[in-house]
Amino acid sequence: MRNIKISYSYDGSDFYGFQRQPDKRTVQGEIEKVLNIILKKEINLTTAGRTDRGVHARVQVSNFIIDSSLTIPLENLKRAMNKLLPMDIDIFDVCEVEKDFNARYMPKTRAYEYIITWKKDVFSRRYKTYVLKEVDPQKLKEILLVLVGRHDFNNFRIKDENNRTTIREIYKIDVYYKNEDKNEIGIYIEGNAFLKTQVRIIVGTALDVYFGRKSKDYLELLLAEPFKERKIEVAEPGGLYLTKVEY
């Protein structure tokens, strides 16, 4: 058997999320459909992270198993995939890896970036989240830093998701201006793994704190009492990007 790893990016705007769904256009569904055509067998992707509907990826990683008898050169496989895939998915690396490599369970680090702007622009509305007032990156970072470390993030997830544990570790959070005009910011969050919609909940709820809609210690309360249900805010998906997966 051969274990093939693919690295790729996608614009999530017109997908119903990453995970394969019947009668829905998804990233996994489109890639597997193309692989089934090229390799003439049913392929199941194992993937580093399943992004929500409308969320983008600058770097996503998957692997899949094929029979050793399939000797197609990997550069030819990459070329064939990109020829058949829609324009909103781009495969930029294909390589063979050890048989025990697993894209889902082996990442040491995953990172997301969330982009916020207060300059209204109809042409970038799918790729940035618009807010009515300017955001000071340093003040927002001070609100977010309480989340760095190992915590039970039960309050920072969609409750219909089943997880063996809701404990995750965030290694780094940074907030910074994205351009010289200082009319948009990026929020960088790096950790070992993330729960479903966790980053969007972090951003949405932190913005509520920033704009005074929730108390200054609200994120601390969510961490201190992870099983006491409190109101959370989910940020829009279009501003979110999976930016790094490291093994």
Side-chain angles (χ1 to χ4, degrees):
M1 306 299 287
R2 301 175 69 193
N3 193 1
I4 307 301
K5 173 189 169 189
I6 59 173
S7 302
Y8 51 102
S9 57
Y10 53 84
D11 176 343
S13 302
D14 295 325
F15 292 104
Y16 282 82
F18 179 86
Q19 190 173 3
R20 182 196 320 115
Q21 299 181 53
D23 304 317
K24 299 287 187 183
R25 185 175 187 265
T26 69
V27 180
Q28 181 180 10
E30 291 296 312
I31 294 175
E32 288 180 347
K33 180 170 65 177
V34 163
L35 285 171
N36 293 347
I37 293 170
I38 297 169
L39 300 174
K40 297 180 174 57
K41 63 170 293 184
E42 187 172 331
I43 296 296
N44 294 303
L45 293 180
T46 300
T47 303
R50 298 171 178 178
T51 52
D52 296 337
R53 180 178 180 177
V55 174
H56 317 291
R58 293 192 180 100
V59 178
Q60 178 67 281
V61 180
S62 300
N63 73 289
F64 57 92
I65 304 297
I66 61 174
D67 194 274
S68 298
S69 61
L70 295 171
T71 57
I72 179 172
L74 297 183
E75 189 59 34
N76 291 359
L77 176 60
K78 174 186 166 184
R79 190 179 304 113
M81 290 180 71
N82 279 325
K83 184 177 180 180
L84 293 176
L85 281 167
M87 288 295 292
D88 42 10
I89 303 176
D90 177 54
I91 310 295
F92 57 80
D93 187 62
V94 179
C95 63
E96 188 165 355
V97 290
E98 296 294 329
K99 289 182 174 59
D100 62 350
F101 175 84
N102 185 294
R104 180 180 178 185
Y105 293 114
M106 296 178 71
K108 297 177 180 177
T109 298
R110 297 171 173 91
Y112 286 86
E113 184 184 43
Y114 195 94
I115 301 175
I116 295 170
T117 184
W118 43 96
K119 179 184 178 183
K120 197 168 185 179
D121 179 358
V122 296
F123 298 108
S124 64
R125 60 187 173 82
R126 290 180 163 194
Y127 310 107
K128 304 172 188 178
T129 292
Y130 177 73
V131 294
L132 293 172
K133 297 179 181 179
E134 183 176 349
V135 178
D136 182 302
Q138 188 57 41
K139 290 180 180 178
L140 183 59
K141 182 178 178 179
E142 289 170 5
I143 292 168
L144 287 163
L145 282 178
V146 68
L147 301 176
V148 173
R150 184 177 173 85
H151 304 285
D152 190 329
F153 285 97
N154 184 62
N155 275 325
F156 295 84
R157 70 181 178 104
I158 297 298
K159 292 297 189 281
D160 63 357
E161 185 192 23
N162 294 320
N163 293 97
R164 287 180 295 177
T165 176
T166 51
I167 295 173
R168 298 290 187 272
E169 185 171 0
I170 292 180
Y171 303 137
K172 179 181 179 181
I173 294 178
D174 199 9
V175 187
Y176 39 83
Y177 286 114
K178 289 283 291 180
N179 58 21
E180 291 182 358
D181 294 332
K182 296 186 176 181
N183 56 27
E184 65 181 61
I185 62 169
I187 302 170
Y188 177 87
I189 303 179
E190 181 179 320
N192 62 344
F194 293 90
L195 301 162
K196 181 176 174 59
T197 319
Q198 181 181 344
V199 175
R200 290 171 59 200
I201 291 170
I202 287 172
V203 172
T205 308
L207 286 173
D208 268 3
V209 175
Y210 182 91
F211 289 119
R213 295 188 289 264
K214 290 185 172 65
S215 64
K216 292 181 179 180
D217 63 344
Y218 200 77
L219 296 185
E220 294 176 81
L221 292 175
L222 291 173
L223 292 177
E225 300 175 311
F227 294 98
K228 181 175 181 179
E229 195 163 324
R230 296 179 185 272
K231 187 176 180 181
I232 54 174
E233 190 66 33
V234 183
E236 293 294 321
L240 184 58
Y241 299 75
L242 177 61
T243 61
K244 183 169 75 172
V245 181
E246 289 189 347
Y247 293 88

